[in-house]
């Protein structure tokens, strides 16, 4: 799905701002047709935002179910005769969209966009009532999965097995846009190069293309100069003296797809893209034929008050800290990030491992989150409904992000159970689906510490080995010497077993800012630094290790529980982005590595 844009043939209106807001405590909103009239509420809410931390009301913060948003929207008066669409960049985790009294769109999945054509329900120059019902529930049929339990006094509580808070709401922007009847609906770009000549293979899907219409493309360089042209909705063009998209140097071209009919421009869509190649070769990960070593973090979309809401200002600050510390990459743990983040990474040459929301597919985690461990694969837990949602998540992620040069790996799950019976049958078709949808990028998943190279049954299905390891924290806590021996043994075991490039996708230790110790004392800033230094010694001794992503970039909110005090403290920055001692240690290492 192409992101809406302003162009010579399209117009785009942002619908963010203050919405009327009502919590559906009794789950009666749809039955009582709240969408059919002005919401009976005094509450207002800012969009984008998570709803959970905005109000001084425990009942709102803990609500499980539907939340209703509403505002009046005016259609620009010049849009008569145009196709008109409403688009939500996300609704976490489910959204129903009403225009006046008509249900125009529904979508399951909290991190990818959806839209509906509404020209039949609105008029140019007139207002309409936009109502959005958002549901934050997680079940065994959703990605990520969860369950809902009722307390003795009738309250509904959301249970889930992932270690970050279940923020929900309209986290990203809402848009109204116009497009002509004949419009470019999708574009796929695949790039390569030989010597100084770049190759761009493109395919454009055009709706309502008449027999007299013609499709053509122009390639513009970063200065806007024309460097190549092509005819047809599908083809290939060459770029002479090509400038490659490189890590740290995000050079972008623009592919302008145009539709003409009778000599008149009917539609135009401009897609930024970079020319680069990705390859796994033996134990190496290659970008543009050169070995690449990942330095960076697993991150979260997580900020004080607004939760998972996208903010351009906070995004710029986070990327500035990535640059300061010497990071060249990050993983979108554990869900697709806002499209603005992907575009920023494209422009600035930051490499991205792009991940689906498939986290918590592991029955052994039940013991960690307050229950008894259960088997993972079967009708009671990860079942056919889960797989269907997982397929949709992979499909929508790749459809949205396939043209971003910054994206170099599709990560289809984080820490699933990979040793139980049923794991291979579940993951083999999902890995194949990702490859079928995009044959140009490696596919991976992130392996959990419980399922080492001797127990794992699925990692051979994937192109890269991505590991989360916490020796010295959850195991061998406070004993870094023993942890170092165990870590090295395991990495060498993976290297011998599969001979593929390995990325340490998570490693870290919870740290209280300002807590200092002369000793190897967990939770101290000194222990975090020593912990990371131990891992780095091991990494430098393992040939197949091609990347290190510290967990985490910054402290973040988690669910209630005795295992976390005010959230996860493994960040090398605090939640308000102040550096801990380890940040300075990482800066010294990564700056040297990347130079």
């Amino acid at each position: 799905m192409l992101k809406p844009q302003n162009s010579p043939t399209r117009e785009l209106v942002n619908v963010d701002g203050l919405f009327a807001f009502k919590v559906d405590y009794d789950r009666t909103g749809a039955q009582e047709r709240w969408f059919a009239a002005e919401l009976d509420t005094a509450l207002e809410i800012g969009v984008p935002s998570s709803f959970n931390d905005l109000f001084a009301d425990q009942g709102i913060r803990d609500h499980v179910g539907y939340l209703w948003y509403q505002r009046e929207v005016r259609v620009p008066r010049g849009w008569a005769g145009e196709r008109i669409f409403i688009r939500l960049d996300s609704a976490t985790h489910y959204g129903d969209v009403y225009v006046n009294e008509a249900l125009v769109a529904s979508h399951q999945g909290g991190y990818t966009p959806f839209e509906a054509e509404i020209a039949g329900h609105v008029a140019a120059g007139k207002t309409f009532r936009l109502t959005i019902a958002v549901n934050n529930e997680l079940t065994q049929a959703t990605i990520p999965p969860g369950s809902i339990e009722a307390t003795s006094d009738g309250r509904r509580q959301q249970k889930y097995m992932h270690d970050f808070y279940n923020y929900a709401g309209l986290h990203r922007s809402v848009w109204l846009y116009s497009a002509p009847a004949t419009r470019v609906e999708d574009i796929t770009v695949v790039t390569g190069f030989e010597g100084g000549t770049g190759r761009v293979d493109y395919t454009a899907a055009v709706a309502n293309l008449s027999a007299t219409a013609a499709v053509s493309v122009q390639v513009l360089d970063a200065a806007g100069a024309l460097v190549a042209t092509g005819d047809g909705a599908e083809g290939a063009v060459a770029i002479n003296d090509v400038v490659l998209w490189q890590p740290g140097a995000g050079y972008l071209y623009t592919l302008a797809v145009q539709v003409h009919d009778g000599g008149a421009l009917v539609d135009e869509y401009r897609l930024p893209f970079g020319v680069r190649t990705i390859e796994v070769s033996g134990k190496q990960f290659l970008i543009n034929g050169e070995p690449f070593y990942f330095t960076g973090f697993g991150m979260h979309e997580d900020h004080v008050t607004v939760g998972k809401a996208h903010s351009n200002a906070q995004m710029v600050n986070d990327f500035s800290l990535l640059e300061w510390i010497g990071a060249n990459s990050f993983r979108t743990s554990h869900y697709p990030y806002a499209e603005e983040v992907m575009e920023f990474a494209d422009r600035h040459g930051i490499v991205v491992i792009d991940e689906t929301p498939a986290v918590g597919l592991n029955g052994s985690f039940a013991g960690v989150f307050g229950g008894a461990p259960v088997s993972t694969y079967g009708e009671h837990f990860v079942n056919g409904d889960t797989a269907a949602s997982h397929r949709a998540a992979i499909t929508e992620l790749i459809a949205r992000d396939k043209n971003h040069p910054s994206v170099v790996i599709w990560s289809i799950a984080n820490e699933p159970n990979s040793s139980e019976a049923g794991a291979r049958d579940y993951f083999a078709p999902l890995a194949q689906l990702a490859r079928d949808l995009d044959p140009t990028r490696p596919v991976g998943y992130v392996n959990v510490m419980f399922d080492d190279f001797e127990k794992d049954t699925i990692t051979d299905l994937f192109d890269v080995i991505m590991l989360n390891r916490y020796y010295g924290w959850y195991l061998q806590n406070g004993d870094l010497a023993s942890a170092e021996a165990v870590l090295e043994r395991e990495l060498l075991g993976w290297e011998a077993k599969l001979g593929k490039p390995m990325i340490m996708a998570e490693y870290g230790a919870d740290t209280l800012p300002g807590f200092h110790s002369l000793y190897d004392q967990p939770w101290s800033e000194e222990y975090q630094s020593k912990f990371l230094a131990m891992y780095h010694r091991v990494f430098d001794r393992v040939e197949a290790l091609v990347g290190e992503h510290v967990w985490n970039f910054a402290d973040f909110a988690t669910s209630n529980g005795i295992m976390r005090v005010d959230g996860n403290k493994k960040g090398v920055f605090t939640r308000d982005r102040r550096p801990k001692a380890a940040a300075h240690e990482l800066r010294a290492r990564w700056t040297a590595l990347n130079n």
Side-chain angles (χ1 to χ4, degrees):
M1 180 186 293
L2 295 176
K3 186 178 181 183
Q5 63 181 218
N6 283 304
S7 80
T9 58
R10 300 164 179 242
E11 290 188 4
L12 178 64
V13 174
N14 183 265
V15 189
D16 295 349
L18 287 174
F19 281 61
F21 179 71
K22 187 173 183 178
V23 182
D24 194 350
Y25 291 110
D26 298 321
R27 303 174 64 80
T28 59
Q31 179 182 348
E32 295 176 357
R33 295 172 55 83
W34 288 2
F35 53 84
E38 182 177 335
L39 278 180
D40 181 15
T41 180
L43 295 178
E44 294 182 271
I45 191 169
V47 172
S49 72
S50 298
F51 77 88
N52 309 81
D53 294 346
L54 297 183
F55 303 97
D57 186 324
Q58 186 79 36
I60 296 178
R61 176 178 170 81
D62 294 343
H63 178 69
V64 178
Y66 279 93
L67 308 124
W68 291 73
Y69 297 70
Q70 190 181 86
R71 63 162 293 182
E72 292 290 311
V73 178
R74 181 174 294 277
V75 180
R77 62 184 181 179
W79 287 13
E82 293 288 292
R83 298 179 69 182
I84 301 172
F85 298 82
I86 189 77
R87 171 185 162 115
L88 280 68
D89 284 349
S90 71
T92 309
H93 296 278
Y94 174 87
D96 284 327
V97 182
Y98 298 86
V99 171
N100 296 322
E101 297 188 29
L103 176 65
V104 298
S106 298
H107 183 260
Q108 180 69 58
Y111 302 98
T112 45
F114 62 105
E115 66 182 25
E117 187 168 1
I118 61 172
H121 304 283
V122 300
K126 304 295 184 180
T127 62
F128 68 90
R129 184 176 57 254
L130 174 65
T131 309
I132 304 168
V134 178
N135 189 297
N136 67 344
E137 296 177 0
L138 298 173
T139 71
Q140 294 313 120
T142 65
I143 293 291
S147 60
I148 298 169
E149 298 178 0
T151 64
S152 59
D153 58 359
R155 288 174 292 118
R156 304 171 80 240
Q157 294 184 335
Q158 178 72 68
K159 304 294 183 181
Y160 48 92
M161 291 187 287
H162 57 265
D163 191 25
F164 55 95
Y165 190 77
N166 186 38
Y167 282 118
L170 296 178
H171 289 150
R172 300 171 188 165
S173 286
V174 181
W175 305 93
L176 187 70
Y177 76 93
S178 70
T182 298
R183 71 162 183 153
V184 179
E185 287 192 314
D186 193 24
I187 303 170
T188 302
V189 169
V190 176
T191 65
F193 66 94
E194 185 172 349
T197 302
R199 178 183 173 91
V200 183
D201 294 287
Y202 69 89
T203 303
V206 182
N208 301 315
L209 188 65
S210 71
T212 59
V215 180
S216 62
V217 301
Q218 297 179 338
V219 177
L220 311 175
D221 67 13
L226 181 66
V227 296
T229 61
D231 292 317
E234 184 174 356
V237 298
I239 302 175
N240 295 323
D241 301 318
V242 68
V243 181
L244 299 181
W245 188 95
Q246 303 269 19
Y251 190 93
L252 295 178
Y253 291 90
T254 298
L255 182 74
V257 180
Q258 298 179 333
V259 183
H260 287 85
D261 199 345
L265 179 65
V266 175
D267 191 26
E268 177 179 279
Y269 191 92
R270 295 193 168 204
L271 177 76
F273 70 96
V275 178
R276 60 100 181 95
T277 60
I278 303 298
E279 182 184 359
V280 169
S281 179
K283 299 176 184 178
Q284 293 184 320
F285 192 94
L286 306 178
I287 299 180
N288 298 332
E290 298 292 331
F292 179 71
Y293 190 89
F294 296 77
T295 60
F297 299 95
M299 299 179 70
H300 267 298
E301 291 184 313
D302 177 279
H303 287 86
V304 174
T305 305
V306 297
K308 290 196 175 303
H310 175 72
S311 158
N312 285 326
Q314 290 167 329
M315 175 186 70
V316 169
N317 180 237
D318 284 352
F319 273 94
S320 177
L321 294 176
L322 289 175
E323 180 181 9
W324 173 84
I325 207 170
N328 61 22
S329 56
F330 63 87
R331 174 168 60 116
T332 69
S333 46
H334 304 291
Y335 39 82
Y337 289 178
E339 288 173 274
E340 291 84 353
V341 174
M342 314 307 290
E343 293 166 342
F344 197 101
D346 289 343
R347 294 193 298 272
H348 294 270
I350 305 299
V351 173
V352 178
I353 299 173
D354 208 0
E355 191 159 86
T356 75
V359 59
L361 304 178
N362 199 321
S364 63
F365 284 171
V368 177
F369 291 99
V374 297
S375 59
T376 302
Y377 303 97
E379 286 305 310
H380 63 289
F381 189 12
V382 177
N383 56 28
D385 291 336
T386 317
S389 295
H390 202 160
R391 288 192 297 272
I394 293 170
T395 301
E396 292 182 14
L397 171 65
I398 294 176
R400 194 196 75 167
D401 289 350
K402 62 186 175 182
N403 295 315
H404 289 291
S406 58
V407 175
V408 301
I409 298 173
W410 301 118
S411 175
I412 67 170
N414 179 74
E415 294 191 341
N417 190 302
S418 68
S419 61
E420 281 185 19
R424 195 172 183 90
D425 288 343
Y426 181 85
F427 276 99
L430 296 177
Q432 188 59 50
L433 172 64
R435 288 197 181 91
D436 291 343
L437 293 170
D438 179 16
T440 72
R441 288 179 177 87
V443 178
Y445 87 101
V446 181
N447 171 276
V448 69
M449 185 165 62
F450 309 139
D451 293 337
D452 64 16
F453 68 94
E454 295 174 315
K455 294 174 61 181
D456 170 81
T457 65
I458 68 171
T459 300
D460 64 296
L461 297 169
F462 296 89
D463 302 303
V464 292
I465 304 168
M466 294 191 287
L467 307 174
N468 292 350
R469 294 298 182 265
Y470 292 96
Y471 303 121
W473 188 249
Y474 295 120
L475 300 175
Q476 297 88 35
N477 183 269
D479 184 358
L480 293 178
S482 296
E484 183 168 355
V486 174
L487 175 64
E488 184 165 8
R489 174 187 175 275
E490 187 183 355
L491 295 186
L492 293 175
W494 282 107
E495 183 178 53
K497 180 179 179 179
L498 296 178
K500 296 180 179 182
M502 284 186 286
I503 301 167
M504 187 59 66
E506 292 183 21
Y507 63 109
D510 283 278
T511 304
L512 293 177
F515 174 38
H516 298 283
S517 177
L518 292 172
Y519 315 106
D520 286 349
Q521 190 164 355
W523 293 91
S524 68
E525 292 196 41
E526 289 76 14
Y527 188 79
Q528 186 182 39
S529 295
K530 291 181 179 179
F531 175 101
L532 296 177
M534 178 272 285
Y535 273 71
H536 298 153
R537 289 195 299 271
V538 175
F539 296 166
D540 293 343
R541 298 195 293 262
V542 178
E543 179 187 4
L545 202 291
V546 300
E548 50 194 62
H549 276 180
V550 172
W551 190 258
N552 192 282
F553 171 71
D555 296 343
F556 58 91
T558 60
S559 57
N560 298 330
I562 60 173
M563 67 176 290
R564 299 286 181 224
V565 179
D566 192 31
N568 191 305
K569 301 297 186 188
K570 292 188 181 68
V572 302
F573 295 97
T574 62
R575 198 178 185 207
D576 59 355
R577 277 39 179 183
R578 290 173 293 168
K580 301 176 187 177
H584 297 278
E585 302 289 340
L586 286 173
R587 184 172 190 257
R589 173 176 170 82
W590 289 349
T591 301
L593 282 174
N594 293 328
N595 288 335

